[in-house]
Amino acid sequence: MSAAPNRRLVAVVLLVPVLVALALWAFAWPAARMAPRDLPVGVAGSAPAADRLQQRLEQHEGAFEIHRYASEAAARTAIEDRSVYGAVVVSPKGPALLTASAAGPVVAQLLRDAVTASAPAGTVAPVTDVVAAPAADPRGSVLGASILPLAIAGVATGSAVTLLRLRGGHAVAALLGVAALVGVIAAALTDSWLGVITGDWWPEAGTLGLTVLAIGATVAGLAALIGPAGIGLGALVMVLVGNPFSGVTSAPELLPRPVGVIGQWLPPGAGGSLLRSVAFFDGRAAGGAALTLGLWAALGLTAAIVGGRRRPGTPDAPEPAPARERALAG
């Protein structure tokens, strides 16, 4: 057996376990280390009682980022604006909890447990779900599961553009066309059919399509700049890192640092946050996630255009001068 097949055999035997270990780390480690880390919550009510409750919550060092509000109405507004995940309202009758299960059912349950543990003995805090998750998906499992197919669709689109050697305007048209169609189809399935997202239909379709475009354009752009290895790099970043770091099944503030922050800088995490905003909160707090997706899409499309011009083998590439001279001499 020659040396080359031996080297390839060793490469396969070593590379596959490394990739498996990386995938297990990326998906299992954040889930195993899930806990609140500076989770934004509100406290509303009269100063002495609210101060005592805040002190009890702050005993969980580093767990909560406390926001104070003068009234229950102000706390409700903050929840609806996605400034906080929930709020505890202190009154003479005792504490009451306001949650938003649409922002994350896992967080809503965590807040229930924390408030119950912090409440005086023998008292039960009533719970009001200010922005409830849809009845068709009360645990948010379907919404969380929808991000991985979008990531796969984006990687597949970028790979197809590369393997079919689409360049320039053809590459851009393919990426935009696939993203638009996937957005419409995904919105039809998740909103019109399953009813797991309940916002305005076209913004939801736009969010789903923009997520696919940001991922697909990035993969195509990397491949145009560095060759077919860009497909693997793009898939690694978007699927093996972006999906488990997205926090869409829980919340970015529940993931280990800096995983939650990194996840929101990547298209899967930004797409999940933007989808929650347009599906359940009338687009509130959508600006940062929309900007992140737009930047990834713009940079990816630019790289696909520029890299396609630089890569050899394009249909419009001129014939090398020596070849033309030999043809004329012949």
Side-chain angles (χ1 to χ4, degrees), residues 68-216:
R68 291 293 294 267
Y69 300 101
S71 64
E72 178 179 347
R76 284 177 174 268
T77 300
I79 293 172
E80 293 168 350
D81 290 339
R82 299 200 72 186
S83 298
V84 294
Y85 283 93
V88 185
V89 180
V90 181
S91 68
K93 298 180 180 179
L97 176 62
L98 306 178
T99 64
S101 59
V106 175
V107 178
Q109 183 59 52
L110 183 149
L111 291 178
R112 290 190 186 96
D113 296 340
V115 171
T116 300
S118 301
T123 62
V124 178
V127 179
T128 301
D129 201 345
V130 178
V131 185
D137 188 25
R139 295 179 177 84
S141 56
V142 180
L143 178 66
S146 65
I147 298 301
L148 180 58
L150 296 179
I152 294 174
V155 172
T157 304
S159 302
V161 166
T162 302
L163 297 177
L164 294 176
R165 298 182 180 180
L166 299 178
R167 302 283 188 263
H170 291 93
V172 172
L175 291 165
L176 291 173
V178 170
L181 287 176
V182 169
V184 169
I185 293 172
L189 291 174
T190 55
D191 187 319
S192 303
W193 180 39
L194 297 175
V196 297
I197 55 178
T198 57
D200 292 335
W201 199 93
W202 284 111
E204 292 170 349
T207 296
L208 295 164
L210 182 58
T211 303
V212 173
L213 176 62
I215 297 171

Side-chain angles (χ1 to χ4, degrees), residues 25 40 90 104 203 211 230 280-281 312:
W25 168 81
V90 181
T211 303
F280 308 126
F281 294 89

Side-chain angles (χ1 to χ4, degrees), residues 17-108:
V18 169
L19 291 176
V20 171
L22 178 62
L24 288 173
W25 168 81
F27 280 87
W29 173 61
R33 296 293 184 267
M34 192 176 297
R37 297 169 175 86
D38 291 329
L39 186 73
V41 297
V43 173
S46 58
D51 289 341
R52 288 193 296 270
L53 177 61
Q54 180 174 344
Q55 291 172 1
R56 286 194 293 269
L57 291 175
E58 288 176 344
Q59 290 176 357
H60 305 276
E61 186 174 354
F64 301 107
E65 178 185 284
I66 307 298
H67 298 250
R68 291 293 294 267
Y69 300 101
S71 64
E72 178 179 347
R76 284 177 174 268
T77 300
I79 293 172
E80 293 168 350
D81 290 339
R82 299 200 72 186
S83 298
V84 294
Y85 283 93
V88 185
V89 180
V90 181
S91 68
K93 298 180 180 179
L97 176 62
L98 306 178
T99 64
S101 59
V106 175
V107 178

